[in-house]
Amino acid sequence: MHKASPPPEIALPKATRREWVALGVIALPCLVYAMDLTVLNLALPAISTDLRPSASQLLWIVDIYGFMVAGLLITMGTLGDKLGRRRLLMIGAAAFAAASVAAALSTTAQALIATRALLGIAGATLAPSTLSLISNMFRDERQRRVAIGIWISSYSVGGAIGPLVGGLILEYFAWPAIFWAAVPVMLLLLAVGPFLLPEYRDEAAGRLDLISVGLSLTAVLGGVFALKQAAEGHLGVTTWAVGVLGLAAGLAFVRRQRRIHYPLLDIQLFAQPRFAAAICAYALTSFAMFGVYIFISQHLQLVLGLSPLMAGLCTVPWSLSFVVGSMLTPAIAQRISAPRTMVMGLAVAAVGFAGMTLVDGVYGLPALVVGMTVMGIGMAPVFTLGNDIVISSAPPERAGAASALSETSAELSGALGIAVFGSLATGLYRAGMAGQLPEGLSTAAVAEAATLGGALTVAQGLPAPVADALRVAARTAFVDGLQVAAVVGTAIMVFSGLLAWRMLRGPDTPAVASTSQPR
């Protein structure tokens, strides 16, 4: 008696030149989105001089964009599944261009805050729309991983060139020019997108649950705001109240998703070990990466004394390492499997973090740059394969919501990393500075010296021997904090690797397509 032969595998269609050209088109707005997160910081002095915002308004000008992006990612992902991913991307591009023009024409701080909020709302459409479109355009697994690698590289390149492009623009033009620069890219997307990008939507989508939208927005915004306040040392009643409100809204959101017919977030996806492992690894990696990043720029400028331009150039290899790692990931995963590639990447990232503990040696700057670069190469497979696993685990008609979830987890864990590592840095710095302050300082000067930058400012008004001693003590205390952060980052990467290895050992079980239809 012969055994029945297994059914032949169905070969998925390969992407053509049209899809690869379309990928280049949708990578452009992602690059602009990443640039917009970094380039504004360079323009803050000019904005302060021109618009004269208060200290609180200046913080809102910077933060409101990221707040709105984080709060609306899940909503925009589900909205793209319902309305059509290309349609939502086109609407978002038009809104981003219009809001950029409005921001460039702002004449008051209040107007700039409002237009930055609009930019955040429009920016929230980009990541879930583009990633879910990639999942539909590239059905072949290897091609999809290459496409996701290019997609991630666009963010890395945007983050790398943002300070350089911003500095070049501000060298010859006034600050509004940084907003005008985004308009041509969005107009290009609007011009060619309808012809190159296919439309996909969930034909069986239900009504958008506005209560879930409100709960998710409250949960994410409350969580991010509370974490940022905690990172800045503001642990008053407002921070606690907003944090508790965000947590309560998050719990109510999860409970509601279990009950309604068409949830914003399919909680059942977390029952899949591959999906849960990818989200956990992505979140832990973002937690460690954003947490250690808060030390790096201060170390380069305040400890090593580099100019802002040189400090920016020192971080370029880190950003470019993500490009290299993202491009190598698909070939490595094809040879040794995706789970092994992710675990190997986390091991490499752990080595990078460990190398950063050598920053206090004679070759401290090379050790920092090499450590950051190795860390970036190791993290790239987590981002590339993690996103691939997330969108392939979800049914195709809910790829937008799934991709939004991965981005939201990165936003929240990044904010948590900044808060936790920031608190760690503050505690270690203050412990290192105990007994190091010279006698006779005013209460205001003592309070100002509670940070590295403040201590260096206080030192400028002291006699030379005392000032030099204070500078050495402050920088030594800060470096000690950086080294501890690097050790913690190493431990997180090792733990993430063990967790991923344990949860990803099972066979791949990609989601089955149902009602999603290309149009």
Side-chain angles (χ1 to χ4, degrees):
M1 184 175 181
H2 296 286
K3 293 182 179 180
S5 59
E9 294 185 4
I10 300 175
L12 295 174
K14 297 275 190 178
T16 64
R17 180 181 297 180
R18 177 190 180 95
E19 281 77 24
W20 291 109
V21 174
L23 175 63
V25 171
I26 62 178
L28 285 175
C30 298
L31 184 146
V32 171
Y33 164 85
M35 286 179 56
D36 209 59
L37 287 172
T38 58
V39 72
L40 181 71
N41 293 324
L42 292 174
L44 288 180
I47 291 173
S48 298
T49 301
D50 191 13
L51 302 185
R52 298 187 180 279
S54 65
S56 175
Q57 288 175 329
L58 195 62
L59 286 175
W60 278 110
I61 289 172
V62 175
D63 291 339
I64 192 64
Y65 179 81
F67 280 0
M68 298 309 295
V69 169
L72 289 169
L73 278 170
I74 292 178
T75 298
M76 292 303 183
T78 301
L79 194 60
D81 292 337
K82 178 179 175 60
L83 297 181
R85 293 155 192 171
R86 184 184 67 188
R87 178 184 298 179
L88 183 65
L89 181 59
M90 295 299 102
I91 293 172
F96 201 97
S100 296
V101 172
L105 298 176
S106 297
T107 56
T108 65
Q110 294 88 339
L112 186 56
I113 292 170
T115 53
R116 286 277 293 170
L118 293 175
L119 279 169
I121 295 172
T125 68
L126 298 180
S129 295
T130 52
L131 184 55
S132 56
L133 277 171
I134 287 173
S135 73
N136 293 122
M137 291 191 300
F138 299 90
R139 305 302 301 277
D140 176 76
E141 182 179 67
R142 185 172 184 179
Q143 287 188 326
R144 185 175 64 245
R145 288 172 177 170
V146 173
I148 292 174
I150 294 172
W151 179 78
I152 290 174
S153 296
S154 68
Y155 286 98
S156 301
V157 172
I161 69 174
L164 304 179
V165 172
L168 187 63
I169 290 174
L170 293 172
E171 185 74 23
Y172 298 100
F173 303 98
W175 65 263
I178 65 173
F179 295 106
W180 287 111
V183 175
V185 175
M186 296 302 166
L187 293 180
L188 175 64
L189 176 59
L190 289 169
V192 302
F195 302 100
L196 289 175
L197 300 176
E199 180 62 288
Y200 289 90
R201 65 171 177 264
D202 182 3
E203 298 292 349
R207 292 181 56 188
L208 186 68
D209 184 49
L210 295 181
I211 296 178
S212 294
V213 172
L215 288 173
S216 69
L217 188 62
T218 303
V220 176
L221 289 183
V224 172
F225 176 81
L227 291 170
K228 288 181 72 69
Q229 290 292 101
E232 294 168 5
H234 306 307
L235 294 174
V237 175
T238 301
T239 300
W240 282 104
V242 174
V244 170
L245 176 63
L247 180 60
L251 293 174
F253 173 78
V254 171
R255 293 187 61 183
R256 186 170 181 82
Q257 301 317 291
R258 296 181 184 276
R259 298 198 308 265
I260 61 178
H261 172 68
Y262 188 72
L264 284 186
L265 176 61
D266 187 358
I267 302 298
Q268 293 180 348
L269 287 173
F270 286 95
Q272 300 182 38
R274 296 174 72 250
F275 183 90
I279 289 291
C280 289
Y282 197 9
L284 287 170
T285 302
S286 299
F287 174 85
M289 181 181 71
F290 280 96
V292 79
Y293 186 73
I294 64 174
F295 290 88
I296 292 173
S297 60
Q298 294 185 74
H299 181 81
L300 291 173
Q301 295 185 61
L302 300 181
V303 175
L304 300 182
L306 300 180
S307 67
L309 178 59
M310 287 302 300
L313 289 174
C314 286
T315 63
V316 168
W318 185 20
S319 298
L320 295 183
S321 69
F322 279 95
V323 178
V324 174
S326 299
M327 294 295 96
L328 292 176
T329 293
I332 298 174
Q334 188 73 15
R335 181 176 294 271
I336 67 172
S337 82
R340 286 189 176 92
T341 304
M342 284 188 67
V343 173
M344 184 179 70
L346 289 165
V348 171
V351 173
F353 272 106
M356 292 170 62
T357 61
L358 305 176
V359 291
D360 62 341
V362 178
Y363 302 101
L365 179 57
L368 180 63
V369 173
V370 171
M372 291 163 53
T373 304
V374 172
M375 180 181 69
I377 292 174
M379 287 180 170
V382 180
F383 294 158
T384 302
L385 297 176
N387 277 296
D388 178 54
I389 290 172
V390 166
I391 61 176
S392 63
S393 296
E397 68 272 12
R398 299 308 306 272
S403 62
L405 175 62
S406 69
E407 293 304 303
T408 302
S409 70
E411 292 281 348
L412 283 175
S413 57
L416 180 61
I418 291 172
V420 172
F421 278 74
S423 299
L424 177 66
T426 300
L428 291 172
Y429 175 82
R430 289 175 178 172
M433 289 295 290
Q436 299 293 327
L437 294 176
E439 297 181 0
L441 288 181
S442 65
T443 303
V446 170
E448 187 176 6
T451 65
L452 173 60
L456 297 181
T457 301
V458 170
Q460 293 177 359
L462 298 175
V466 178
D468 290 341
L470 178 59
R471 291 189 187 100
V472 170
R475 286 168 173 158
T476 300
F478 182 86
V479 170
D480 289 343
L482 172 55
Q483 290 175 311
V484 171
V487 172
V488 173
T490 303
I492 292 173
M493 291 300 98
V494 172
F495 173 77
S496 300
L498 294 174
L499 183 67
W501 177 250
R502 181 177 179 82
M503 297 180 70
L504 290 171
R505 285 184 298 178
D508 291 349
T509 54
V512 179
S514 55
T515 57
S516 179
Q517 298 291 333
R519 301 183 70 84

PDB file of all heavy atoms in Angstrom, residues 399-434:
ATOM      1  N   ALA A 399      -3.557  43.025   7.393  1.00  0.00           N
ATOM      2  CA  ALA A 399      -2.124  43.318   7.430  1.00  0.00           C
ATOM      3  C   ALA A 399      -1.858  44.739   7.899  1.00  0.00           C
ATOM      4  O   ALA A 399      -0.845  45.015   8.549  1.00  0.00           O
ATOM      5  CB  ALA A 399      -1.504  43.091   6.049  1.00  0.00           C
ATOM      6  N   GLY A 400      -2.741  45.670   7.569  1.00  0.00           N
ATOM      7  CA  GLY A 400      -2.555  47.051   7.994  1.00  0.00           C
ATOM      8  C   GLY A 400      -2.585  47.184   9.504  1.00  0.00           C
ATOM      9  O   GLY A 400      -1.734  47.852  10.103  1.00  0.00           O
ATOM     10  N   ALA A 401      -3.577  46.549  10.142  1.00  0.00           N
ATOM     11  CA  ALA A 401      -3.673  46.607  11.599  1.00  0.00           C
ATOM     12  C   ALA A 401      -2.481  45.923  12.246  1.00  0.00           C
ATOM     13  O   ALA A 401      -1.947  46.391  13.263  1.00  0.00           O
ATOM     14  CB  ALA A 401      -4.979  45.958  12.056  1.00  0.00           C
ATOM     15  N   ALA A 402      -2.046  44.786  11.669  1.00  0.00           N
ATOM     16  CA  ALA A 402      -0.903  44.061  12.246  1.00  0.00           C
ATOM     17  C   ALA A 402       0.374  44.883  12.139  1.00  0.00           C
ATOM     18  O   ALA A 402       1.165  44.958  13.096  1.00  0.00           O
ATOM     19  CB  ALA A 402      -0.731  42.720  11.534  1.00  0.00           C
ATOM     20  N   SER A 403       0.604  45.512  10.987  1.00  0.00           N
ATOM     21  CA  SER A 403       1.810  46.322  10.830  1.00  0.00           C
ATOM     22  C   SER A 403       1.784  47.530  11.758  1.00  0.00           C
ATOM     23  O   SER A 403       2.821  47.938  12.296  1.00  0.00           O
ATOM     24  CB  SER A 403       1.952  46.774   9.372  1.00  0.00           C
ATOM     25  OG  SER A 403       0.859  47.582   8.977  1.00  0.00           O
ATOM     26  N   ALA A 404       0.582  48.097  11.976  1.00  0.00           N
ATOM     27  CA  ALA A 404       0.471  49.225  12.902  1.00  0.00           C
ATOM     28  C   ALA A 404       0.807  48.798  14.324  1.00  0.00           C
ATOM     29  O   ALA A 404       1.398  49.560  15.091  1.00  0.00           O
ATOM     30  CB  ALA A 404      -0.941  49.808  12.848  1.00  0.00           C
ATOM     31  N   LEU A 405       0.451  47.568  14.673  1.00  0.00           N
ATOM     32  CA  LEU A 405       0.748  47.069  16.013  1.00  0.00           C
ATOM     33  C   LEU A 405       2.251  46.982  16.244  1.00  0.00           C
ATOM     34  O   LEU A 405       2.753  47.351  17.314  1.00  0.00           O
ATOM     35  CB  LEU A 405       0.098  45.703  16.221  1.00  0.00           C
ATOM     36  CG  LEU A 405       0.421  45.010  17.544  1.00  0.00           C
ATOM     37  CD1 LEU A 405      -0.070  45.845  18.717  1.00  0.00           C
ATOM     38  CD2 LEU A 405      -0.214  43.628  17.590  1.00  0.00           C
ATOM     39  N   SER A 406       2.993  46.500  15.248  1.00  0.00           N
ATOM     40  CA  SER A 406       4.444  46.392  15.416  1.00  0.00           C
ATOM     41  C   SER A 406       5.075  47.767  15.595  1.00  0.00           C
ATOM     42  O   SER A 406       5.977  47.952  16.427  1.00  0.00           O
ATOM     43  CB  SER A 406       5.073  45.660  14.220  1.00  0.00           C
ATOM     44  OG  SER A 406       5.008  46.442  13.051  1.00  0.00           O
ATOM     45  N   GLU A 407       4.572  48.759  14.841  1.00  0.00           N
ATOM     46  CA  GLU A 407       5.121  50.107  14.977  1.00  0.00           C
ATOM     47  C   GLU A 407       4.745  50.733  16.311  1.00  0.00           C
ATOM     48  O   GLU A 407       5.541  51.441  16.932  1.00  0.00           O
ATOM     49  CB  GLU A 407       4.620  50.989  13.818  1.00  0.00           C
ATOM     50  CG  GLU A 407       5.160  50.583  12.458  1.00  0.00           C
ATOM     51  CD  GLU A 407       6.673  50.566  12.435  1.00  0.00           C
ATOM     52  OE1 GLU A 407       7.290  51.600  12.733  1.00  0.00           O
ATOM     53  OE2 GLU A 407       7.247  49.500  12.154  1.00  0.00           O
ATOM     54  N   THR A 408       3.517  50.478  16.766  1.00  0.00           N
ATOM     55  CA  THR A 408       3.090  51.017  18.057  1.00  0.00           C
ATOM     56  C   THR A 408       3.906  50.409  19.189  1.00  0.00           C
ATOM     57  O   THR A 408       4.293  51.099  20.143  1.00  0.00           O
ATOM     58  CB  THR A 408       1.591  50.739  18.280  1.00  0.00           C
ATOM     59  OG1 THR A 408       0.839  51.309  17.211  1.00  0.00           O
ATOM     60  CG2 THR A 408       1.120  51.354  19.595  1.00  0.00           C
ATOM     61  N   SER A 409       4.184  49.096  19.104  1.00  0.00           N
ATOM     62  CA  SER A 409       4.997  48.461  20.144  1.00  0.00           C
ATOM     63  C   SER A 409       6.391  49.071  20.186  1.00  0.00           C
ATOM     64  O   SER A 409       6.968  49.259  21.264  1.00  0.00           O
ATOM     65  CB  SER A 409       5.084  46.954  19.896  1.00  0.00           C
ATOM     66  OG  SER A 409       5.861  46.663  18.752  1.00  0.00           O
ATOM     67  N   ALA A 410       6.931  49.414  19.013  1.00  0.00           N
ATOM     68  CA  ALA A 410       8.252  50.044  18.974  1.00  0.00           C
ATOM     69  C   ALA A 410       8.204  51.441  19.585  1.00  0.00           C
ATOM     70  O   ALA A 410       9.125  51.841  20.326  1.00  0.00           O
ATOM     71  CB  ALA A 410       8.756  50.110  17.536  1.00  0.00           C
ATOM     72  N   GLU A 411       7.133  52.210  19.283  1.00  0.00           N
ATOM     73  CA  GLU A 411       7.001  53.561  19.833  1.00  0.00           C
ATOM     74  C   GLU A 411       6.905  53.517  21.358  1.00  0.00           C
ATOM     75  O   GLU A 411       7.594  54.261  22.066  1.00  0.00           O
ATOM     76  CB  GLU A 411       5.755  54.239  19.248  1.00  0.00           C
ATOM     77  CG  GLU A 411       5.832  54.563  17.763  1.00  0.00           C
ATOM     78  CD  GLU A 411       6.645  55.813  17.485  1.00  0.00           C
ATOM     79  OE1 GLU A 411       6.951  56.553  18.439  1.00  0.00           O
ATOM     80  OE2 GLU A 411       6.985  56.044  16.306  1.00  0.00           O
ATOM     81  N   LEU A 412       6.032  52.632  21.875  1.00  0.00           N
ATOM     82  CA  LEU A 412       5.821  52.574  23.313  1.00  0.00           C
ATOM     83  C   LEU A 412       7.060  52.046  24.045  1.00  0.00           C
ATOM     84  O   LEU A 412       7.459  52.590  25.080  1.00  0.00           O
ATOM     85  CB  LEU A 412       4.619  51.685  23.632  1.00  0.00           C
ATOM     86  CG  LEU A 412       3.243  52.313  23.401  1.00  0.00           C
ATOM     87  CD1 LEU A 412       2.143  51.288  23.644  1.00  0.00           C
ATOM     88  CD2 LEU A 412       3.037  53.514  24.307  1.00  0.00           C
ATOM     89  N   SER A 413       7.658  50.986  23.517  1.00  0.00           N
ATOM     90  CA  SER A 413       8.840  50.437  24.175  1.00  0.00           C
ATOM     91  C   SER A 413      10.015  51.402  24.086  1.00  0.00           C
ATOM     92  O   SER A 413      10.833  51.484  25.005  1.00  0.00           O
ATOM     93  CB  SER A 413       9.215  49.084  23.569  1.00  0.00           C
ATOM     94  OG  SER A 413       9.434  49.189  22.181  1.00  0.00           O
ATOM     95  N   GLY A 414      10.097  52.161  22.981  1.00  0.00           N
ATOM     96  CA  GLY A 414      11.138  53.177  22.871  1.00  0.00           C
ATOM     97  C   GLY A 414      10.978  54.261  23.924  1.00  0.00           C
ATOM     98  O   GLY A 414      11.949  54.674  24.573  1.00  0.00           O
ATOM     99  N   ALA A 415       9.723  54.721  24.104  1.00  0.00           N
ATOM    100  CA  ALA A 415       9.458  55.724  25.138  1.00  0.00           C
ATOM    101  C   ALA A 415       9.751  55.163  26.527  1.00  0.00           C
ATOM    102  O   ALA A 415      10.295  55.854  27.393  1.00  0.00           O
ATOM    103  CB  ALA A 415       8.000  56.191  25.052  1.00  0.00           C
ATOM    104  N   LEU A 416       9.410  53.899  26.755  1.00  0.00           N
ATOM    105  CA  LEU A 416       9.696  53.270  28.039  1.00  0.00           C
ATOM    106  C   LEU A 416      11.209  53.146  28.256  1.00  0.00           C
ATOM    107  O   LEU A 416      11.711  53.372  29.362  1.00  0.00           O
ATOM    108  CB  LEU A 416       9.042  51.887  28.094  1.00  0.00           C
ATOM    109  CG  LEU A 416       9.244  51.086  29.385  1.00  0.00           C
ATOM    110  CD1 LEU A 416       8.660  51.837  30.565  1.00  0.00           C
ATOM    111  CD2 LEU A 416       8.602  49.708  29.267  1.00  0.00           C
ATOM    112  N   GLY A 417      11.942  52.807  27.186  1.00  0.00           N
ATOM    113  CA  GLY A 417      13.388  52.715  27.295  1.00  0.00           C
ATOM    114  C   GLY A 417      14.017  54.043  27.668  1.00  0.00           C
ATOM    115  O   GLY A 417      14.923  54.099  28.520  1.00  0.00           O
ATOM    116  N   ILE A 418      13.528  55.123  27.050  1.00  0.00           N
ATOM    117  CA  ILE A 418      14.046  56.459  27.377  1.00  0.00           C
ATOM    118  C   ILE A 418      13.785  56.784  28.838  1.00  0.00           C
ATOM    119  O   ILE A 418      14.652  57.317  29.545  1.00  0.00           O
ATOM    120  CB  ILE A 418      13.413  57.512  26.452  1.00  0.00           C
ATOM    121  CG1 ILE A 418      13.921  57.322  25.017  1.00  0.00           C
ATOM    122  CG2 ILE A 418      13.717  58.926  26.945  1.00  0.00           C
ATOM    123  CD1 ILE A 418      13.203  58.190  23.998  1.00  0.00           C
ATOM    124  N   ALA A 419      12.561  56.452  29.321  1.00  0.00           N
ATOM    125  CA  ALA A 419      12.219  56.752  30.710  1.00  0.00           C
ATOM    126  C   ALA A 419      13.057  55.931  31.688  1.00  0.00           C
ATOM    127  O   ALA A 419      13.606  56.465  32.661  1.00  0.00           O
ATOM    128  CB  ALA A 419      10.727  56.484  30.938  1.00  0.00           C
ATOM    129  N   VAL A 420      13.178  54.616  31.438  1.00  0.00           N
ATOM    130  CA  VAL A 420      13.896  53.746  32.371  1.00  0.00           C
ATOM    131  C   VAL A 420      15.391  54.047  32.363  1.00  0.00           C
ATOM    132  O   VAL A 420      16.013  54.228  33.418  1.00  0.00           O
ATOM    133  CB  VAL A 420      13.644  52.264  32.021  1.00  0.00           C
ATOM    134  CG1 VAL A 420      14.549  51.358  32.853  1.00  0.00           C
ATOM    135  CG2 VAL A 420      12.181  51.910  32.263  1.00  0.00           C
ATOM    136  N   PHE A 421      15.980  54.102  31.167  1.00  0.00           N
ATOM    137  CA  PHE A 421      17.411  54.381  31.084  1.00  0.00           C
ATOM    138  C   PHE A 421      17.714  55.809  31.545  1.00  0.00           C
ATOM    139  O   PHE A 421      18.777  56.059  32.128  1.00  0.00           O
ATOM    140  CB  PHE A 421      17.908  54.170  29.655  1.00  0.00           C
ATOM    141  CG  PHE A 421      18.205  52.750  29.306  1.00  0.00           C
ATOM    142  CD1 PHE A 421      17.172  51.849  29.085  1.00  0.00           C
ATOM    143  CD2 PHE A 421      19.502  52.283  29.199  1.00  0.00           C
ATOM    144  CE1 PHE A 421      17.423  50.527  28.760  1.00  0.00           C
ATOM    145  CE2 PHE A 421      19.776  50.969  28.880  1.00  0.00           C
ATOM    146  CZ  PHE A 421      18.728  50.083  28.659  1.00  0.00           C
ATOM    147  N   GLY A 422      16.786  56.739  31.265  1.00  0.00           N
ATOM    148  CA  GLY A 422      16.985  58.106  31.729  1.00  0.00           C
ATOM    149  C   GLY A 422      16.996  58.191  33.239  1.00  0.00           C
ATOM    150  O   GLY A 422      17.830  58.892  33.836  1.00  0.00           O
ATOM    151  N   SER A 423      16.070  57.470  33.886  1.00  0.00           N
ATOM    152  CA  SER A 423      16.040  57.442  35.344  1.00  0.00           C
ATOM    153  C   SER A 423      17.296  56.774  35.901  1.00  0.00           C
ATOM    154  O   SER A 423      17.862  57.219  36.903  1.00  0.00           O
ATOM    155  CB  SER A 423      14.793  56.689  35.824  1.00  0.00           C
ATOM    156  OG  SER A 423      13.620  57.340  35.369  1.00  0.00           O
ATOM    157  N   LEU A 424      17.731  55.708  35.225  1.00  0.00           N
ATOM    158  CA  LEU A 424      18.961  55.028  35.638  1.00  0.00           C
ATOM    159  C   LEU A 424      20.158  55.966  35.547  1.00  0.00           C
ATOM    160  O   LEU A 424      20.992  56.039  36.463  1.00  0.00           O
ATOM    161  CB  LEU A 424      19.183  53.800  34.766  1.00  0.00           C
ATOM    162  CG  LEU A 424      20.475  52.997  35.001  1.00  0.00           C
ATOM    163  CD1 LEU A 424      20.453  52.353  36.368  1.00  0.00           C
ATOM    164  CD2 LEU A 424      20.640  51.933  33.912  1.00  0.00           C
ATOM    165  N   ALA A 425      20.223  56.705  34.440  1.00  0.00           N
ATOM    166  CA  ALA A 425      21.333  57.640  34.252  1.00  0.00           C
ATOM    167  C   ALA A 425      21.337  58.721  35.325  1.00  0.00           C
ATOM    168  O   ALA A 425      22.392  59.071  35.888  1.00  0.00           O
ATOM    169  CB  ALA A 425      21.239  58.274  32.869  1.00  0.00           C
ATOM    170  N   THR A 426      20.149  59.255  35.633  1.00  0.00           N
ATOM    171  CA  THR A 426      20.052  60.312  36.645  1.00  0.00           C
ATOM    172  C   THR A 426      20.493  59.800  38.009  1.00  0.00           C
ATOM    173  O   THR A 426      21.262  60.457  38.728  1.00  0.00           O
ATOM    174  CB  THR A 426      18.604  60.822  36.724  1.00  0.00           C
ATOM    175  OG1 THR A 426      18.217  61.347  35.454  1.00  0.00           O
ATOM    176  CG2 THR A 426      18.484  61.920  37.773  1.00  0.00           C
ATOM    177  N   GLY A 427      20.005  58.605  38.382  1.00  0.00           N
ATOM    178  CA  GLY A 427      20.378  58.045  39.675  1.00  0.00           C
ATOM    179  C   GLY A 427      21.867  57.774  39.790  1.00  0.00           C
ATOM    180  O   GLY A 427      22.496  58.101  40.814  1.00  0.00           O
ATOM    181  N   LEU A 428      22.455  57.195  38.756  1.00  0.00           N
ATOM    182  CA  LEU A 428      23.885  56.885  38.791  1.00  0.00           C
ATOM    183  C   LEU A 428      24.727  58.161  38.778  1.00  0.00           C
ATOM    184  O   LEU A 428      25.766  58.243  39.448  1.00  0.00           O
ATOM    185  CB  LEU A 428      24.255  56.004  37.600  1.00  0.00           C
ATOM    186  CG  LEU A 428      23.699  54.580  37.634  1.00  0.00           C
ATOM    187  CD1 LEU A 428      23.961  53.875  36.313  1.00  0.00           C
ATOM    188  CD2 LEU A 428      24.339  53.793  38.783  1.00  0.00           C
ATOM    189  N   TYR A 429      24.281  59.163  38.019  1.00  0.00           N
ATOM    190  CA  TYR A 429      25.024  60.426  37.967  1.00  0.00           C
ATOM    191  C   TYR A 429      25.031  61.103  39.336  1.00  0.00           C
ATOM    192  O   TYR A 429      26.075  61.564  39.817  1.00  0.00           O
ATOM    193  CB  TYR A 429      24.412  61.339  36.908  1.00  0.00           C
ATOM    194  CG  TYR A 429      25.041  62.709  36.853  1.00  0.00           C
ATOM    195  CD1 TYR A 429      26.230  62.928  36.157  1.00  0.00           C
ATOM    196  CD2 TYR A 429      24.452  63.788  37.514  1.00  0.00           C
ATOM    197  CE1 TYR A 429      26.811  64.183  36.130  1.00  0.00           C
ATOM    198  CE2 TYR A 429      25.029  65.044  37.487  1.00  0.00           C
ATOM    199  CZ  TYR A 429      26.209  65.244  36.796  1.00  0.00           C
ATOM    200  OH  TYR A 429      26.781  66.490  36.764  1.00  0.00           O
ATOM    201  N   ARG A 430      23.857  61.151  39.951  1.00  0.00           N
ATOM    202  CA  ARG A 430      23.782  61.802  41.265  1.00  0.00           C
ATOM    203  C   ARG A 430      24.596  61.047  42.301  1.00  0.00           C
ATOM    204  O   ARG A 430      25.228  61.654  43.168  1.00  0.00           O
ATOM    205  CB  ARG A 430      22.322  61.918  41.687  1.00  0.00           C
ATOM    206  CG  ARG A 430      21.539  62.942  40.866  1.00  0.00           C
ATOM    207  CD  ARG A 430      20.067  62.962  41.225  1.00  0.00           C
ATOM    208  NE  ARG A 430      19.350  63.990  40.461  1.00  0.00           N
ATOM    209  CZ  ARG A 430      18.031  64.139  40.453  1.00  0.00           C
ATOM    210  NH1 ARG A 430      17.274  63.319  41.186  1.00  0.00           N
ATOM    211  NH2 ARG A 430      17.472  65.097  39.738  1.00  0.00           N
ATOM    212  N   ALA A 431      24.587  59.712  42.230  1.00  0.00           N
ATOM    213  CA  ALA A 431      25.396  58.928  43.166  1.00  0.00           C
ATOM    214  C   ALA A 431      26.885  59.184  42.942  1.00  0.00           C
ATOM    215  O   ALA A 431      27.658  59.316  43.900  1.00  0.00           O
ATOM    216  CB  ALA A 431      25.088  57.440  42.992  1.00  0.00           C
ATOM    217  N   GLY A 432      27.287  59.296  41.678  1.00  0.00           N
ATOM    218  CA  GLY A 432      28.682  59.558  41.370  1.00  0.00           C
ATOM    219  C   GLY A 432      29.136  60.950  41.758  1.00  0.00           C
ATOM    220  O   GLY A 432      30.319  61.174  42.030  1.00  0.00           O
ATOM    221  N   MET A 433      28.186  61.892  41.783  1.00  0.00           N
ATOM    222  CA  MET A 433      28.521  63.277  42.109  1.00  0.00           C
ATOM    223  C   MET A 433      28.435  63.566  43.605  1.00  0.00           C
ATOM    224  O   MET A 433      28.727  64.686  44.040  1.00  0.00           O
ATOM    225  CB  MET A 433      27.585  64.223  41.350  1.00  0.00           C
ATOM    226  CG  MET A 433      27.848  64.270  39.854  1.00  0.00           C
ATOM    227  SD  MET A 433      29.481  64.952  39.464  1.00  0.00           S
ATOM    228  CE  MET A 433      29.232  66.671  39.903  1.00  0.00           C
ATOM    229  N   ALA A 434      28.005  62.596  44.404  1.00  0.00           N
ATOM    230  CA  ALA A 434      27.884  62.813  45.852  1.00  0.00           C
ATOM    231  C   ALA A 434      29.232  63.205  46.439  1.00  0.00           C
ATOM    232  O   ALA A 434      30.225  62.489  46.295  1.00  0.00           O
ATOM    233  CB  ALA A 434      27.355  61.542  46.526  1.00  0.00           C
TER     234      ALA A 434
END
